[in-house]
Amino acid sequence: MPHKIAFVVVSSSGHEDGFSARELMIHAPTVSGWRSPRFCQFPQEIVLQMVERCRIRKLQLLAHQYMIPSKVEFYISESLPEYFTPYQAERFRRLGYVSLCDNEKTGCKARELKSVYVDAVGQFLKLIFHQNHVNKYNVYNQVALVAVNIIGDPADFGDESNITSREKLIDHYLGHNAEDPALEGTCSGKSDYISPLDDLAFDMYQDPEVAQIIRRLDEQKREAVQKERYDYAKKLKQAIADLQKVGERLGRYEVEKRRAVEKEDYDLAKEKKQQMERFRSRVYEQLQLHQLVGAELMRRPLDLPLQPLACPSSPHHQLPMHSLPQPEERVTENQRADPFLQEKPSSHRLDVSPQHLTVDRPPPATDPPPKTHPESLPYDERPLPVTRKQLGVAVSEAERRDALGDEACRADTTGEPEPLTEKALREASSAVDVLGEALVAGAYSRTWSHREDALLTLHKQLTDTPLGTPKEDLKSTLRAAVFLVRRAIRDIVTPVFQASLKLLKMIITQYIPKHKLGRLETAHCVERTIPVLLTRTGDSSARLRVMASNFIQEIALFKEVKSLQVIPSYLVQPLKANSSTHLAMSQMALLARLLRDLGTEGAGFTVDSVMRFSVQALEHRVREVREAAVGMILDLYAQHRDLVLEYLPPDDSATRRNILYKTIFEGFAKIDGRPTDAEMRAQKRAAAEEAEKRKKEEIKALQGQLAALKEMQAEVQEKESEATKAKNQDTQERKAAPPNAPEIPDNHYLDNLCIFCGERNESFTEEGLDLHYWKHCLMLTRCEHCRQVVEISSLTEHLLTECDQKDSFGRCYRCSEAISKEELPRHVKTRDCNPAKSEKLANRCPLCHENFSPGEEAWKAHLMGPAGCTMNLRRTHVLHKTPMLPPGKGPAATRAGTSGSKVGSKIPTPKGGLSKSSSRTYTKR
């Protein structure tokens, strides 16, 4: 994991007396840093040597407020040349450069912190400072650097890649995502995680001793998380947040003490030192009371040497990296604690990010972009990627003879908020009259901790207001407080923003009900603050966006605010075309949540207002906003179908060309339970495919059956030829017989004859018989399950043994028929079927389920006779035809039992009759 890399200053091109480059080796609130000589020649150089060869991940530079170089270049090397003079530039590899702001917009009273992300390996780092920015304070054309910080990893750590890949593999199987917003800002053991405690902003604004304790507590917190001691980790987290505020205050006291020493005001210096000791001991007692640290952590680190200071910056920290003189013996006099030190560390959470610790004013404008695109520059001339942070600490290190610098120094060393400007006095005159100038000055201070303290103080004052206070005083105090809350809501520092929300919530839910101020004052609070809060829902910080949205939703549900119906009217105002994506998305999400909580009946929302807002949002330039509007319309349609349709165009093909309206109408269909167009098309396509599949299967089955019938016809023809040969032999025998013997006619009785039903027809050719078998023969039927043509008498056996669906049929022991296995238990249980008789006693018809006389001829009579089976559907298609007889013969009768036949006529059949060999193929005996 990247961490702070210690370094020493090898050499520099020069420095002003008292501002050596070795000052850069120390990170603490009281350091002055390096300054170039007066009227020096440029460029100026500083060479740093790291304690070991390492891979640099991040470089941080804290620039001076007015001695600002226009550009800083970075070079890295594995080793120094043999001779320091002259430097051999070819031994250093150029990394790039960064440009610094001229700081004009802040009046040269703020310092710029640059964070440069690099990936370079080496042990020596060279910084080259170019010509300074010109301003009225830098009269000697100097450049300066207050602090430099190097963060990286040891370069000889050979198993780094293996560890990284192993961690990624573990995270993959655990389902962790390195980009998960829930893990943002946490130390999850990632190899590229940089702790906030290694940041330069932390070091430069913290008391060194407190910073050491914070680092130890942070290590204990990580160990507690690994051991899953979450309650203890939570306590440590809160302690770290409180200690950061304590360390900042102690650092400020240290600066005031050093300033007093410079002015030789030793009484003030002694007082500040005792003040620090009392405050420090009180904090340590609290830590030991809660068993967060042991006595070994209370050992004081070495104090920093007393050196001349120009106007210092705000508090921050790091331990010195070289030996320093021992501190003088501490004063242990027992004096009463100053009221300022009686304050206990704040119990509310503090944001530990460097931006929130230091930002007191808007950042200055950055340098204008270069005219040449970076990609068109040579590689060595390209600027490095930079994360700019503007430190908003109002400091000045002008020389003591500079009147402006002295005034700024006096303002910084007082420990109190700076006085209000004339503009601020005019703006906040009403609040000053009610709350006092001191509190309002704190709310207007450039230091965020003063602003936060002012809001917390006001919170306590309003909470402790007695009940007997006159109404006019209560109302004036309320309006002054709302004025400060409205200003604080715009603050970019998270703790100040949180304090403003806390104060506003207390005013609405406690102060107004407690003193019975009425709806008018509640409406004033809401109307003055909600518009500003809504703008904060579009903040670039995801954390602030969520806080603002959740707070609006929370107060909208308060009974004091809900009855006013004010917040819904703000949420349904149309989105501006140039509004940011975050603001539009937050407003859409907040509206959707409140619509679910409040509904559209008597809570401020109406179908008309919400639909007008949603239809207008459908035309927004951001896709996510349009999709959110679609979802809102669908939710509203589920409750108010007819009213919603009035605000939408008709559902036709022209409207559905718009993908949003197509999505909306398909959503309506799903809500109504109707199939969507896509589903209908899919159903039609599936039905067509299924019909085509069944048609192909039926054709295939028909072709197979026709092939079987052709084989059967071929067998019949072969047997007919055998019979013809036998007749020829009989003819020869008859020729040898006496002439008076009767002559037997040569009758081709199997020509044009159906061997199943006995019908004769001239159309019964090979193809005609196939058609007859398939559609008309009364003795045959088609199986409904496999589409095979089978004989009716063998249908039961076919279903049980030969059909493709034979596994789904079973035999009833009572009627002996094939019954579906799903229906078989019910069929057997009801016992409604007609019992079957033995095959010797009777035949069993599978169509009408009746028993009749046994024998083959009985089947023909039952299936073909006029009083036969009533369930045989082919009987209606019987054609009564007279068979064609050979010439010279008398007329022959048609099938026995049909209308128009002669009495006693018989159907010619093969010798011995017909019998079945299977349900599909039949042969002659």
Side-chain angles (χ1 to χ4, degrees):
M1 185 173 73
H3 59 275
K4 182 186 293 293
I5 303 295
F7 62 87
V8 295
V9 177
V10 175
S11 64
S12 66
S13 55
H15 62 85
E16 184 181 358
D17 293 340
F19 299 94
S20 171
R22 295 186 181 275
E23 283 285 312
L24 299 175
M25 298 161 55
I26 305 171
H27 294 171
T30 56
V31 298
S32 302
W34 166 83
R35 289 186 187 179
S36 68
R38 298 180 178 182
F39 300 113
C40 63
Q41 294 183 350
F42 292 98
Q44 292 285 306
E45 297 181 355
I46 296 178
V47 179
L48 309 177
Q49 179 181 0
M50 290 164 280
V51 293
E52 58 183 333
R53 181 174 178 270
C54 65
R55 179 181 296 275
I56 301 176
R57 303 290 189 181
K58 184 179 181 180
L59 295 173
Q60 291 184 298
L61 302 179
L62 181 58
H64 196 268
Q65 60 266 26
Y66 60 85
M67 300 181 186
I68 308 171
S70 59
K71 183 170 69 172
V72 180
E73 291 186 273
F74 299 91
Y75 290 83
I76 195 168
S77 175
E78 298 283 349
S79 61
L80 280 179
E82 295 180 0
Y83 302 98
F84 288 135
T85 307
Y87 294 119
Q88 300 181 12
E90 60 272 12
R91 291 293 184 94
F92 285 88
R93 179 168 60 88
R94 186 177 188 273
L95 298 179
Y97 72 92
V98 292
S99 300
L100 298 177
C101 177
D102 57 12
N103 216 9
E104 288 183 358
K105 289 196 173 183
T106 65
C108 296
K109 293 184 180 180
R111 291 174 174 172
E112 184 178 7
L113 176 63
K114 290 264 190 176
S115 295
V116 183
Y117 293 91
V118 297
D119 187 3
V121 178
Q123 192 171 1
F124 294 88
L125 180 68
K126 181 165 66 173
L127 308 178
I128 298 181
F129 301 86
H130 290 265
Q131 183 70 43
N132 63 290
H133 286 294
V134 178
N135 56 67
K136 64 180 180 180
Y137 305 112
N138 192 3
V139 295
Y140 301 117
N141 292 334
Q142 294 171 277
V143 293
L145 185 64
V146 179
V148 59
N149 189 30
I150 304 175
I151 298 176
D153 299 308
D156 299 328
F157 192 50
D159 296 334
E160 179 183 356
S161 60
N162 295 335
I163 292 176
T164 302
S165 60
R166 183 165 61 251
E167 289 174 347
K168 290 181 178 179
L169 183 62
I170 293 173
D171 287 345
H172 171 73
Y173 282 104
L174 291 179
H176 294 169
N177 184 3
E179 298 178 357
D180 189 352
L183 300 178
E184 184 178 356
T186 63
C187 180
S188 55
K190 301 297 182 183
S191 61
D192 57 350
Y193 173 77
I194 299 177
S195 172
L197 304 183
D198 289 333
D199 196 275
L200 184 58
F202 177 82
D203 292 329
M204 295 300 294
Y205 290 82
Q206 283 288 329
D207 175 75
E209 185 174 340
V210 176
Q212 180 185 14
I213 298 175
I214 290 175
R215 286 191 169 92
R216 291 294 300 273
L217 291 180
D218 187 68
E219 293 176 2
Q220 294 179 17
K221 183 186 73 172
R222 290 199 297 268
E223 293 175 0
V225 172
Q226 291 176 356
K227 296 178 182 179
E228 298 187 353
R229 299 175 59 192
Y230 299 122
D231 291 336
Y232 185 53
K234 180 181 178 181
K235 185 185 295 184
L236 290 172
K237 176 185 175 183
Q238 185 63 45
I240 290 172
D242 293 336
L243 277 176
Q244 286 181 337
K245 197 170 184 180
V246 171
E248 235 185 283
R249 180 167 294 175
L250 288 173
R252 190 162 58 247
Y253 291 161
E254 180 68 24
V255 171
E256 294 170 2
K257 183 184 73 172
R258 295 301 178 90
R259 179 64 60 191
V261 171
E262 286 184 358
K263 295 180 179 180
E264 298 184 356
D265 187 354
Y266 300 117
D267 291 334
L268 179 60
K270 180 179 179 181
E271 180 183 351
K272 289 295 180 183
K273 181 175 181 180
Q274 293 173 354
Q275 189 179 12
M276 292 173 63
E277 292 296 334
R278 290 193 297 271
F279 188 54
R280 193 187 304 273
S281 62
R282 181 175 297 277
V283 172
Y284 289 170
E285 287 174 3
Q286 292 291 328
L287 292 176
Q288 290 180 333
L289 178 64
H290 292 87
Q291 299 179 352
L292 295 177
V293 294
E296 69 278 1
L297 286 182
M298 298 303 148
R299 293 195 298 269
R300 289 287 306 276
L302 298 177
D303 286 346
L304 298 177
L306 299 179
Q307 297 179 0
L309 293 176
C311 195
S313 60
S314 308
H316 271 211
H317 136 67
Q318 168 159 339
L319 292 177
M321 299 194 179
H322 62 282
S323 62
L324 298 171
Q326 296 292 333
E328 62 178 355
E329 186 177 352
R330 294 195 190 125
V331 178
T332 58
E333 299 153 318
N334 237 345
Q335 299 182 1
R336 186 174 179 180
D338 187 84
F340 180 71
L341 294 175
Q342 299 299 326
E343 300 175 6
K344 294 185 179 180
S346 173
S347 61
H348 64 276
R349 297 185 178 181
L350 298 177
D351 194 287
V352 300
S353 61
Q355 299 92 320
H356 297 152
L357 288 175
T358 59
V359 176
D360 286 335
R361 63 174 70 229
T366 57
D367 294 334
K371 296 181 180 179
T372 306
H373 195 276
E375 296 299 330
S376 63
L377 293 173
Y379 179 81
D380 282 347
E381 293 299 325
R382 295 179 185 175
L384 293 174
V386 171
T387 300
R388 294 174 178 260
K389 296 179 184 177
Q390 190 68 32
L391 299 180
V393 182
V395 295
S396 174
E397 292 187 4
E399 298 178 353
R400 278 184 256 182
R401 64 178 179 274
D402 193 330
L404 179 61
D406 288 341
E407 181 181 353
C409 291
R410 287 194 298 272
D412 285 340
T413 57
T414 58
E416 299 295 335
E418 60 275 12
L420 290 170
T421 63
E422 292 183 5
K423 178 182 177 182
L425 277 172
R426 288 194 301 270
E427 179 182 325
S429 58
S430 59
V432 170
D433 295 340
V434 177
L435 302 175
E437 186 174 352
L439 192 146
V440 177
Y444 272 76
S445 174
R446 293 193 298 271
T447 304
W448 70 266
S449 58
H450 292 325
R451 301 197 298 274
E452 181 190 18
D453 291 341
L455 294 175
L456 296 178
T457 302
L458 181 57
H459 183 282
K460 189 174 185 304
Q461 289 181 5
L462 295 181
T463 305
D464 298 339
T465 303
L467 285 175
T469 308
K471 292 285 186 180
E472 292 301 323
D473 294 344
L474 292 173
K475 290 181 180 180
S476 59
T477 303
L478 171 67
R479 293 178 182 266
V482 171
F483 172 80
L484 295 183
V485 167
R486 178 182 171 88
R487 174 182 172 83
I489 288 175
R490 298 190 180 96
D491 205 299
I492 62 175
V493 181
T494 303
V496 180
F497 180 70
Q498 288 176 321
S500 68
L501 298 184
K502 180 180 178 182
L503 177 58
L504 178 59
K505 181 178 179 181
M506 187 275 296
I507 291 174
I508 296 175
T509 60
Q510 298 177 26
Y511 184 80
I512 295 177
K514 175 182 177 182
H515 300 286
K516 300 179 181 179
L517 296 181
R519 290 171 49 121
L520 185 61
E521 300 304 322
T522 304
H524 173 77
C525 291
V526 175
E527 291 175 353
R528 294 291 294 168
T529 55
I530 287 300
V532 187
L533 269 174
L534 283 175
T535 61
R536 293 311 302 271
T537 60
D539 197 276
S540 58
S541 170
R543 182 181 182 186
L544 292 181
R545 289 200 303 272
V546 173
M547 289 171 57
S549 298
N550 291 343
F551 184 80
I552 293 175
Q553 183 180 6
E554 182 181 3
I555 65 172
L557 300 178
F558 292 157
K559 62 179 181 180
E560 297 86 356
V561 179
K562 184 178 179 180
S563 60
L564 298 175
Q565 301 183 6
V566 174
I567 295 179
S569 63
Y570 283 106
L571 291 179
V572 294
Q573 291 181 0
L575 296 172
K576 296 181 180 179
N578 58 349
S579 61
S580 68
T581 302
H582 292 318
L583 179 60
M585 285 301 301
S586 297
Q587 184 173 346
M588 295 293 296
L590 188 57
L591 175 58
R593 296 202 302 266
L594 283 179
L595 195 59
R596 287 193 294 269
D597 295 338
L598 300 177
T600 56
E601 300 295 334
F605 291 117
T606 63
V607 177
D608 178 75
S609 61
V610 176
M611 281 302 300
R612 289 181 185 276
F613 173 83
S614 302
V615 172
Q616 187 266 348
L618 291 175
E619 301 176 0
H620 198 272
R621 58 185 175 82
V622 180
R623 175 178 58 83
E624 290 81 0
V625 175
R626 299 193 296 269
E627 292 176 351
V630 171
M632 193 177 303
I633 292 174
L634 294 178
D635 292 341
L636 206 58
Y637 179 80
Q639 304 173 11
H640 310 279
R641 285 175 166 78
D642 297 334
L643 294 178
V644 170
L645 292 176
E646 294 178 1
Y647 296 89
L648 298 175
D651 183 8
D652 52 27
S653 58
T655 304
R656 285 181 176 260
R657 291 196 187 102
N658 187 321
I659 187 64
L660 291 177
Y661 285 112
K662 180 180 178 181
T663 304
I664 290 173
F665 288 122
E666 288 184 351
F668 290 169
K670 290 182 178 180
I671 294 174
D672 295 337
R674 296 180 285 107
T676 63
D677 288 348
E679 292 174 346
M680 292 178 64
R681 288 194 298 269
Q683 291 175 1
K684 291 180 179 179
R685 185 165 54 252
E689 292 176 355
E690 183 66 22
E692 184 68 19
K693 182 179 179 181
R694 286 199 304 268
K695 182 178 179 181
K696 291 181 179 179
E697 291 177 352
E698 186 173 347
I699 293 175
K700 183 178 179 181
L702 180 59
Q703 290 174 348
Q705 295 177 26
L706 291 177
L709 291 174
K710 289 180 180 179
E711 293 178 0
M712 186 166 41
Q713 184 69 22
E715 292 178 0
V716 171
Q717 291 178 355
E718 181 180 354
K719 292 175 181 179
E720 288 179 353
S721 62
E722 291 177 356
T724 302
K725 291 180 180 180
K727 290 179 181 180
N728 293 335
Q729 293 177 357
D730 293 342
T731 302
Q732 293 176 359
E733 292 176 356
R734 285 196 298 270
K735 289 180 179 179
N740 56 354
E743 184 178 355
I744 300 176
D746 186 10
N747 185 13
H748 299 282
Y749 59 89
L750 289 180
D751 292 343
N752 309 116
L753 177 70
C754 173
I755 62 174
F756 299 107
C757 65
E759 181 179 355
R760 185 183 298 276
N761 195 315
E762 292 181 355
S763 63
F764 285 178
T765 60
E766 183 176 353
E767 291 78 8
L769 280 174
D770 290 343
L771 181 61
H772 174 73
Y773 296 151
W774 181 249
K775 288 188 175 183
H776 305 299
C777 183
L778 299 181
M779 300 295 292
L780 304 179
T781 187
R782 274 188 290 180
C783 175
E784 296 180 355
H785 305 283
C786 65
R787 313 302 294 173
Q788 294 283 350
V789 175
V790 296
E791 192 173 10
I792 295 176
S793 60
S794 61
L795 179 61
T796 298
E797 294 300 325
H798 166 79
L799 292 175
L800 293 174
T801 60
E802 297 179 354
C803 182
D804 294 342
Q805 304 294 326
K806 62 183 178 181
D807 294 335
S808 59
F809 288 94
R811 185 187 296 274
C812 174
Y813 72 93
R814 180 178 173 87
C815 62
S816 299
E817 292 188 23
I819 307 298
S820 172
K821 289 183 178 180
E822 296 179 356
E823 298 291 332
L824 185 59
R826 185 189 61 80
H827 176 84
V828 173
K829 184 177 181 180
T830 56
R831 301 175 63 87
D832 292 338
C833 57
N834 184 21
K837 296 181 180 180
S838 172
E839 291 184 1
K840 296 181 179 180
L841 299 177
N843 290 328
R844 176 80 175 189
C845 178
L847 302 181
C848 64
H849 315 297
E850 296 293 337
N851 299 320
F852 54 91
S853 57
E856 189 75 20
E857 294 298 327
W859 273 107
K860 290 185 178 181
H862 176 72
L863 296 175
M864 300 172 59
C869 181
T870 58
M871 303 301 295
N872 189 358
L873 300 180
R874 292 191 178 186
R875 293 179 60 201
T876 58
H877 303 292
V878 173
L879 298 177
H880 307 286
K881 299 179 181 180
T882 303
M884 298 297 295
L885 297 179
K889 302 292 182 181
T894 59
R895 282 187 296 107
T898 59
S899 60
S901 61
K902 294 184 178 180
V903 179
S905 62
K906 300 291 184 182
I907 298 175
T909 57
K911 185 178 181 181
L914 293 172
S915 68
K916 61 183 179 180
S917 61
S918 70
S919 63
R920 299 193 185 100
T921 305
Y922 294 84
T923 58
K924 292 187 296 182
R925 291 196 189 101

